[in-house]
């Protein structure tokens, strides 16, 4: 699954740690999500979309290999 978390963080000019603190997860979790090594829960994905004020579909995109 592709994601645009890094892009959205850059727009807000926040670090992985700052995002992690807001979402009550570890920086390592944010890093793993950005690298595509971890897929967030539905709740975490919704929290991220709310924080960045974008839809979940704007943050995450399924790849052909995900189907």
């Amino acid at each position: 699954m592709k994601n645009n978390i890094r892009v959205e963080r850059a727009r807000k000019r926040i670090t992985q740690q700052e995002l992690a603190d807001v979402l009550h997860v570890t920086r390592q979790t944010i890093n793993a999500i950005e690298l595509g090594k971890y897929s967030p829960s539905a709740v975490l994905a919704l929290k991220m979309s709310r924080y960045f004020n974008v839809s979940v579909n704007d943050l995450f995109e399924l790849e052909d290999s995900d189907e």
Side-chain angles (χ1 to χ4, degrees):
M1 177 166 51
K2 293 180 185 178
N3 70 72
N4 295 313
I5 304 301
R6 186 170 300 184
V7 171
E8 293 300 329
R9 276 196 313 101
R11 286 184 184 156
K12 280 197 172 267
R13 296 187 173 127
I14 62 168
T15 65
Q16 287 182 342
Q17 185 62 58
E18 290 168 326
L19 179 59
D21 291 344
V22 167
L23 299 174
H24 305 290
V25 298
T26 65
R27 184 200 58 77
Q28 290 85 351
T29 297
I30 302 300
N31 188 351
I33 293 169
E34 286 186 1
L35 294 174
K37 295 181 178 183
Y38 175 74
S39 294
S41 68
V43 171
L44 183 53
L46 288 166
K47 285 180 180 181
M48 292 175 135
S49 73
R50 180 184 292 168
Y51 177 76
F52 290 120
N53 198 32
V54 298
S55 73
V56 172
N57 288 334
D58 288 338
L59 283 180
F60 299 97
E61 180 181 336
L62 284 177
E63 297 179 279
D64 291 339
S65 61
D66 294 326
E67 296 179 16

